[in-house]
Amino acid sequence: MAGDLESSKALSGLLSGLAQDAFHGHPGITEELLRSQLYPEVPPEEFRPFLAKMRGILKSIASADMDFNQLEAFLTAQTKKQGGITSDQAAVISKFWKSHKTKIRESLMNQSRWDSGLRGLSWRVDGKSQSRHSAQIHTPVAIVELEIGKSGQVSKSPVRMYCSYPTFHIGKLGHGKESEFLCLEFDEVKVNQVLKKLSEVEECISTLMQRA
Amino acid sequence: MEGSSEPLLDAKSKVTSQLLDFQWKLGMAVSSDSCRSLKYPYVAVMLKVADESGQVKKKSFEMTIPQFQIFF
């Protein structure tokens, strides 16, 4: 029924479902699930092309990472097309993109990252007091543990400091199935070398951001 | 002691390695098949490490700029 296909609330739900399937990798969101949940009165053969049209529109918007001007121009063109969308539908799509754009973009970025990511980093400083072979009294040693694994969100949890031990966790997230833990030992010289490299990266990032 | 539930660094890997080399690259992802307009910078890191037996391994990983800034 055309009336049902024009329901704004149902379309909003449909776009959410499409986004979950196409971008966020949520399994099990089938055409039949969407139809039965959101458009139960619409027969499958009518629903299928409607779904394909909406999916196509959403993918175009996401692929071009449209800003709001581009979005308005694009949606206006869609309303003028034969077999396009209504202006009510355009309004729903516009509202959806504006509120979900950031999250969808983040998912697309994750999808395009195929190397491992840094999923967690923890460190601790030990004081070596004695060693069998040499008198290394009070030599500080930093122990850093890196968790390396496939794409995952970094948690933005606040840094926690421990009073008795200089240990803190930064951005620890849930352990993935395929995470690898790399435990590295650094003396002060090495720490400074690494810090110097990291500040070189920061400098490059700043330069890049200034040019953008 | 304090009854704190915060865990201390409990190294999952009991073997500590030495960092031999740290290479980095600042890249820009422009486009991909799922998104024509990616436009995001990222930091790629390549670590060369030696474990206790002296075996040298390379580990590489990638981060977005916000992730880099959270960790470092």
Side-chain angles (χ1 to χ4, degrees):
Chain A
M1 295 263 198
D4 282 340
L5 284 179
E6 276 164 34
S7 155
S8 291
K9 197 168 162 214
L11 180 58
S12 204
L14 186 74
L15 293 170
S16 283
L18 283 172
Q20 286 294 333
D21 174 50
F23 309 121
H24 308 311
H26 199 288
I29 299 180
T30 61
E31 176 187 314
E32 183 49 32
L33 178 75
L34 292 170
R35 191 196 67 81
S36 58
Q37 293 288 310
L38 299 164
Y39 298 90
E41 307 297 312
V42 179
E45 55 276 12
E46 212 180 303
F47 182 71
R48 189 164 301 131
F50 173 73
L51 181 68
K53 181 167 64 182
M54 290 306 164
R55 185 188 279 122
I57 288 174
L58 188 60
K59 280 197 162 182
S60 293
I61 296 171
S63 187
D65 190 31
M66 288 187 192
D67 62 30
F68 303 142
N69 289 330
Q70 291 169 317
L71 180 69
E72 291 311 311
F74 175 73
L75 289 174
T76 303
Q78 293 297 310
T79 59
K80 295 190 156 60
K81 258 172 71 171
Q82 179 78 301
I85 58 177
T86 66
S87 48
D88 283 346
Q89 287 169 340
V92 173
I93 296 169
S94 177
K95 192 172 167 207
F96 180 82
W97 179 243
K98 284 173 183 172
S99 49
H100 290 85
K101 180 183 161 128
T102 308
K103 205 167 159 231
I104 288 175
R105 186 164 158 71
E106 228 174 274
S107 284
L108 284 172
M109 279 162 55
N110 273 334
Q111 272 180 20
S112 70
R113 197 178 74 189
W114 304 312
D115 270 345
S116 300
L118 183 62
R119 308 191 75 194
L121 184 153
S122 310
W123 62 262
R124 187 181 79 208
V125 174
D126 284 355
K128 265 192 192 169
S129 53
Q130 268 185 350
S131 154
R132 186 177 168 158
H133 303 290
S134 58
Q136 290 174 337
I137 312 288
H138 304 305
T139 310
V141 162
I143 305 199
V144 177
E145 181 189 77
L146 303 170
E147 182 183 355
I148 299 167
K150 291 299 171 198
S151 251
Q153 296 290 327
V154 173
S155 74
K156 294 186 177 65
S157 54
V159 167
R160 294 173 294 174
M161 296 285 288
Y162 296 82
C163 298
S164 31
Y165 305 84
T167 306
F168 61 92
H169 287 245
I170 314 172
K172 204 91 170 117
L173 39 73
H175 296 277
K177 293 178 282 242
E178 297 164 24
S179 278
E180 188 189 341
F181 290 91
L182 185 64
C183 206
L184 301 171
E185 208 177 271
F186 296 84
D187 60 18
E188 199 176 341
V189 169
K190 205 96 218 193
V191 168
N192 286 327
Q193 282 172 1
V194 171
L195 288 176
K196 184 161 179 280
K197 293 241 177 186
L198 293 174
S199 58
E200 285 168 13
V201 184
E202 276 282 9
E203 222 178 281
C204 267
I205 291 171
S206 299
T207 311
L208 182 71
M209 295 310 186
Q210 272 162 27
R211 280 201 216 127
Chain B
M1 281 176 281
E2 317 83 63
S4 165
S5 57
E6 315 270 27
L8 299 178
L9 170 56
D10 168 31
K12 310 287 180 306
S13 156
K14 299 301 175 195
V15 176
T16 57
S17 306
Q18 297 290 324
L19 181 69
L20 300 176
D21 193 23
F22 175 128
Q23 287 181 28
W24 59 267
K25 174 175 79 187
L26 180 62
M28 177 72 86
V30 173
S31 198
S32 78
D33 64 332
S34 53
C35 186
R36 293 287 186 263
S37 184
L38 273 177
K39 295 176 312 199
Y40 74 85
Y42 62 90
V43 178
V45 171
M46 216 274 288
L47 303 176
K48 200 152 97 176
V49 299
D51 65 20
E52 280 177 353
S53 69
Q55 194 185 22
V56 176
K57 274 194 247 181
K58 285 184 181 176
K59 304 282 176 204
S60 64
F61 52 88
E62 218 178 279
M63 289 170 276
T64 61
I65 303 298
Q67 284 173 355
F68 175 81
Q69 287 166 339
I70 288 173
F71 285 118
F72 300 113

